[in-house]
Amino acid sequence: PGEIKPLPSTRTRFTQPKTKRMACCTRLHNLMFFNPQHSNLLWRVSFLRQAGFRPGFGSAKTARSFSSKVTTPRTWSTAMYESLEVGHRQQSTELYSLGSAHRLALRFCGFYSEESTLRRAANRLYVSASAQSSNGAFLETLKIERSFRGDFGIIALHVWMLLRRMRAEGSAGKELSQAMHNVFQDDIEQRICAEGLAVRASKLLRALERSFYGSAVAYDEAIKKSSGGLTEALLRNVYFCEGEYEQARVLEEYVRYKIGCLGVTASDALLEGRVRFSNTQ
């Protein structure tokens, strides 16, 4: 226990005794599975969240650090589509600050394996999808209810937009869609428990899953129409028939605009999870 010491120089790591190389891996393990007593805890938490080691509710909390800037509603229908891609360094600053020894140890521990990479991409996509549920300016602009069901409605909408875009990516998109949906389910379960409903969690999860699939089918059918159908679907599934039709119509403009932006977002950025809904000025 204690402060993590600097790792040995990369120039000498292969010539040092095996015990010293194992010490490097031990310090890396302490970094990835931190001890709350360590003084540099905040740095480690930031590293883990950016690297994708905190799925579910923890990842959803990370979304609050995203930009909260919102496009003016009246410009969504006329604005040109912009890619939602996020640069590599914007997505994971800490990983780029690691030295070669850290990277080698991460590779040794399976950090860059196909399964681990897929899970991190799914976490990033879900963080982006859930970001708007904690974006006060966004919710206030569209008059969306600040409650559990309001959060679920807006998260489910953004998850659907991502799932719809990933259909065009073949088998890779299918695998990532399933991984992101699993993270989505984990997060909703954590939110249910946070509401004090852990006893009824299983029953509520089944009901919410049916609600999600129902809304996704409604959105798929409505998006093919020129107008009207999607507004009504949003009024039912996001505003729960309690909002005004005009508010749902503005949300429809936002949804169609973001779908267009996802359409011009590069496939590699999508499959790596480098997408952010809230990066549009």
Side-chain angles (χ1 to χ4, degrees):
E3 293 290 335
I4 294 181
K5 300 179 181 179
L7 290 177
S9 171
T10 57
R11 295 181 179 179
T12 61
R13 67 176 185 271
F14 295 112
T15 61
Q16 292 178 343
K18 181 179 179 180
T19 54
K20 291 189 175 181
R21 294 200 301 271
M22 291 303 296
C24 295
C25 294
T26 300
R27 287 195 290 271
L28 177 66
H29 182 275
N30 292 336
L31 171 68
M32 295 165 62
F33 302 96
F34 53 86
N35 185 329
Q37 297 179 351
H38 291 176
S39 60
N40 52 355
L41 171 63
L42 294 179
W43 186 89
R44 297 178 188 205
V45 171
S46 175
F47 173 86
L48 290 169
R49 287 179 173 174
Q50 291 290 340
F53 281 96
R54 294 289 299 278
F57 194 58
S59 293
K61 289 182 179 179
T62 312
R64 295 188 178 91
S65 64
F66 281 178
S67 170
S68 61
K69 297 181 180 179
V70 181
T71 305
T72 304
R74 297 304 179 185
T75 66
W76 284 329
S77 59
T78 58
M80 296 184 64
Y81 297 139
E82 299 178 356
S83 173
L84 302 183
E85 178 178 352
V86 178
H88 287 280
R89 292 183 180 274
Q90 289 178 273
Q91 186 67 55
S92 186
T93 305
E94 287 84 355
L95 290 179
Y96 277 88
S97 65
L98 295 179
S100 299
H102 284 86
R103 292 175 182 273
L104 180 63
L106 285 172
R107 186 175 299 279
F108 176 78
C109 296
F111 183 81
Y112 296 106
S113 67
E114 182 177 350
E115 181 179 359
S116 181
T117 301
L118 178 67
R119 184 55 186 261
R120 290 198 304 277
N123 285 342
R124 293 179 189 128
L125 285 178
Y126 182 70
V127 166
S128 179
S130 61
Q132 300 294 43
S133 69
S134 58
N135 187 336
F138 174 81
L139 298 177
E140 179 63 26
T141 299
L142 295 173
K143 308 300 180 184
I144 296 174
E145 180 181 319
R146 304 296 296 272
S147 64
F148 174 84
R149 70 173 187 172
D151 289 349
F152 177 80
I154 201 64
I155 292 174
L157 175 62
H158 286 80
V159 168
W160 166 76
M161 284 192 277
L162 287 171
L163 293 176
R164 182 181 184 276
R165 171 63 178 83
M166 284 187 282
R167 293 172 192 166
E169 300 303 326
S171 59
K174 184 177 181 179
E175 291 180 1
L176 183 57
S177 296
Q178 183 61 57
M180 186 187 68
H181 183 266
N182 293 341
V183 178
F184 173 43
Q185 290 292 92
D186 291 343
D187 179 45
I188 296 303
E189 182 177 3
Q190 293 289 340
R191 289 173 183 263
I192 290 175
C193 294
E195 293 288 329
L197 302 173
V199 177
R200 302 173 54 194
S202 299
K203 183 177 181 180
L204 287 174
L205 277 174
R206 289 193 295 269
L208 290 173
E209 186 174 4
R210 290 194 297 269
S211 175
F212 171 72
Y213 284 121
S215 63
V217 171
Y219 295 151
D220 281 333
E221 295 177 352
I223 198 66
K224 301 174 184 177
K225 303 178 182 179
S226 57
S227 62
L230 184 56
T231 300
E232 295 176 359
L234 293 170
L235 191 60
R236 292 193 306 270
N237 295 288
V238 177
Y239 294 98
F240 307 99
C241 300
E242 297 177 2
E244 298 180 2
Y245 186 87
E246 178 63 20
Q247 296 170 349
R249 192 187 66 78
V250 174
L251 181 57
E252 176 186 358
E253 294 181 4
Y254 165 83
V255 170
R256 291 186 181 276
Y257 174 71
K258 289 300 183 181
I259 287 177
C261 292
L262 283 171
V264 299
T265 300
S267 296
D268 60 341
L270 180 71
L271 296 177
E272 292 174 7
R274 293 185 290 105
V275 172
R276 185 178 300 176
F277 281 101
S278 56
N279 69 338
T280 304
Q281 303 299 316

